[in-house]
Amino acid sequence: MDDIFSRAERFAESVFSGDSSGHDIYHTLRVHAAARKICGEEGGDERIVRLAALLHDVDDPKLFGDAGYANAVRFMDSEGLPGEEQERIVRIISQISFKGSGSAVPDTLEGKIVQDADRLDAIGAIGIARAFAYGGSRGRPMHIPGEKPRESMTEAEYRSEGTTLNHFYEKLLKLRELMNTDSAREMAERRHAYMEGFLAEFLGEWDGRA
Ligand code: ADP
Ligand code: NI
């Protein structure tokens, strides 16, 4: 079916082609599916939620540098989206990223939904896989015994150093509490428990206990 959502999907796919750091099109598709589901339960403007989800990473500064929202705007212009809709979507995209140890709470229900969907994809089995894929792409060690998670860090520190295992303590285990909506909080429970089990097993094997 050729509607604006499938065109947004194809646009995102073309933008991500070749990336191996966890920002492939499948991340976007999972966020889109989760956002739709949450929106069905929580309400909100489904068109805005879906477009914001599909476009939420197309201008990620890690992949594209700080070029504002050039890719998202290019797509929306090509679709003739009214300025008011474009502004709502760009606002959501700008509010959902988690930088350093701070986190912004989006000021619209649609933004809260897309942020929850993005965060759900960072936890659970897929979150674990993404964390190691990302760490590998940056040449980071999985784990260094004795290297403690950092309590607070600047955005540059967050981007540059640390082991993948510490990323769980610095970010991923905090996401359950940060969910905006009840629907997402419920989905986060199981994924959070799965990560805790994984970490216990990992450290147990590392220490020769398991
Ligand atoms: P998104 O843009 O989807 O919110 P990020 O760009 O912050 O997520 O990160 C993409 C993926 O890489 C996520 O699954 C995240 O947990 C993982 N990731 C980000 N930073 C690190 C890190 N320092 N170590 C391991 N994984 C990381
Ligand atoms: Ni994302």
Side-chain angles (χ1 to χ4, degrees):
M1 194 173 69
D2 193 51
D3 55 17
I4 187 169
F5 306 112
S6 41
R7 289 191 296 275
E9 208 175 293
R10 284 201 301 277
F11 175 76
E13 188 172 10
S14 71
V15 161
F16 296 134
S17 59
D19 178 63
S20 64
S21 67
H23 269 108
D24 51 69
I25 184 64
Y26 298 107
H27 162 66
T28 287
L29 297 181
R30 291 189 302 267
V31 171
H32 175 242
R36 265 183 107 169
K37 177 173 185 293
I38 299 168
C39 184
E41 292 167 10
E42 303 276 340
D45 182 334
E46 201 194 4
R47 176 180 162 86
I48 296 293
V49 165
R50 292 185 64 186
L51 288 173
L54 289 167
L55 297 173
H56 86 277
D57 271 337
V58 300
D59 289 292
D60 191 308
K62 287 197 295 313
L63 303 179
F64 306 109
D66 262 318
Y69 301 97
N71 286 336
V73 167
R74 185 154 49 86
F75 173 78
M76 295 189 291
D77 278 346
S78 76
E79 291 285 336
L81 248 68
E84 180 264 342
E85 268 187 3
Q86 295 204 18
E87 275 164 29
R88 288 170 72 192
I89 291 167
V90 165
R91 188 176 179 82
I92 292 172
I93 299 172
S94 72
Q95 288 178 338
I96 64 170
S97 62
F98 183 111
K99 300 217 163 79
S101 44
S103 64
V105 179
D107 58 7
T108 58
L109 175 58
E110 290 78 10
K112 291 184 167 90
I113 290 171
V114 180
Q115 184 178 62
D116 280 358
D118 194 30
R119 286 175 167 170
L120 280 170
D121 205 53
I123 63 176
I126 286 180
I128 293 169
R130 289 181 75 210
F132 286 101
Y134 181 96
S137 79
R138 295 289 184 276
R140 301 214 177 130
M142 293 196 296
H143 176 49
I144 300 177
E147 192 165 308
K148 296 273 171 272
R150 297 157 295 179
E151 293 296 326
S152 70
M153 54 203 139
T154 63
E155 194 190 340
E157 281 170 344
Y158 173 70
R159 294 288 171 218
S160 68
E161 295 155 38
T163 65
T164 299
L165 212 74
N166 279 344
H167 186 64
F168 286 85
Y169 299 97
E170 290 165 354
K171 175 177 170 184
L172 305 182
L173 290 172
K174 295 178 179 169
L175 294 178
R176 176 182 61 170
E177 298 300 322
L178 293 174
M179 294 297 166
N180 302 300
T181 65
D182 289 342
S183 313
R185 208 165 297 118
E186 208 176 301
M187 291 163 78
E189 280 304 327
R190 175 193 170 103
R191 298 181 188 206
H192 185 92
Y194 190 84
M195 284 196 298
E196 285 189 321
F198 167 79
L199 291 167
E201 285 291 313
F202 183 102
L203 293 170
E205 290 177 18
W206 193 283
D207 292 342
R209 281 182 278 119

